[in-house]
Amino acid sequence: MGDDISSWRNQKNGLPQGSVSAPTLFSLYINDLPCILCRKFAYADDICFTTQAETFAELECTLTADLIRVTQYCHRWRLKSSTSKTVSSVFHLRNIWANRQLNVSMSSDLLKHDPNPVYLGVTLDRTLSYKEHLSKTAAELKSRNNLLSKLAGSSWGANAKTLCTSALALCYSVTEYCCPA
């Protein structure tokens, strides 16, 4: 940066946490993920598989078979998938099956069921109403607005420019993230 140059380091495996080039290099590295029946959504190292079916048994079979293929791919290329962070969820409108959990395994471990999984910071629910996500966003905005109120109402007070910048940084960023939901 500028005239400063960092020292050289040998990196035997992986990249430092937070490295700018890590997401791009990871995307290139996994560009040849095997073809599977599920639809893949990937952003950096977060990958989501989705499928739809008429029955739960069909969902379980498709997801498990695809996870076997992806796990074999990961093993071959020395990638470690986290079974503790991997969850299964079902999205539907049938209240009778509201508590139905999938029997899906990855690396011989049964995946946890999460009725409200979080993907890229967005909390999903079985009806895709985003109610849980919006509740979390409202709570986060309330605490950030309280902070702005303290800045505006303090005896020393913050000037208008500082309050405007603070509102943009603290509140608008939270509000705008996933605002189509």
Side-chain angles (χ1 to χ4, degrees):
M1 179 178 275
D3 292 333
D4 295 331
I5 298 173
S6 61
S7 59
W8 285 94
R9 287 187 274 168
N10 288 331
Q11 193 71 29
K12 294 182 183 187
N13 189 7
L15 291 168
Q17 182 70 27
S19 169
V20 175
S21 56
T24 303
L25 291 174
F26 184 77
S27 292
L28 291 170
Y29 192 72
I30 65 160
N31 190 45
D32 65 339
L33 269 171
C35 291
I36 56 176
L37 295 173
C38 291
R39 189 164 178 205
K40 296 176 273 200
F41 296 93
Y43 180 80
D45 64 346
D46 287 329
I47 302 173
C48 176
F49 299 135
T50 64
T51 190
Q52 61 186 49
E54 294 289 323
T55 66
F56 285 104
E58 191 179 341
L59 285 174
E60 293 167 345
C61 183
T62 301
L63 286 169
T64 299
D66 285 353
L67 285 171
I68 288 170
R69 291 199 70 200
V70 170
T71 301
Q72 290 169 344
Y73 169 89
C74 290
H75 181 71
R76 182 177 9 160
W77 293 108
R78 295 188 173 122
L79 294 169
K80 294 180 183 174
S81 49
S82 173
T83 54
S84 64
K85 292 181 180 179
T86 306
V87 298
S88 68
S89 299
V90 182
F91 304 104
H92 59 82
L93 297 173
R94 298 231 172 131
N95 289 332
I96 194 167
W97 296 330
N99 296 319
R100 177 66 158 81
Q101 298 183 17
L102 292 178
N103 182 17
V104 178
S105 345
M106 184 170 94
S107 301
S108 71
D109 292 330
L110 186 64
L111 295 182
K112 292 183 297 186
H113 175 78
D114 188 349
N116 297 317
V118 178
Y119 182 63
L120 301 178
V122 179
T123 305
L124 305 170
D125 57 75
R126 73 176 174 86
T127 61
L128 296 176
S129 66
Y130 300 100
K131 184 178 179 180
E132 183 75 24
H133 179 76
L134 293 172
S135 296
K136 286 181 181 180
T137 301
E140 181 67 24
L141 280 173
K142 184 177 181 180
S143 69
R144 289 173 182 231
N145 278 330
N146 287 340
L147 182 59
L148 282 177
S149 295
K150 299 289 184 204
L151 278 174
S154 62
S155 60
W156 50 269
N159 64 35
K161 185 176 180 182
T162 301
L163 287 173
C164 184
T165 303
S166 299
L168 285 171
L170 291 171
C171 299
Y172 289 7
S173 60
V174 172
T175 307
E176 286 180 345
Y177 187 76
C178 191
C179 70

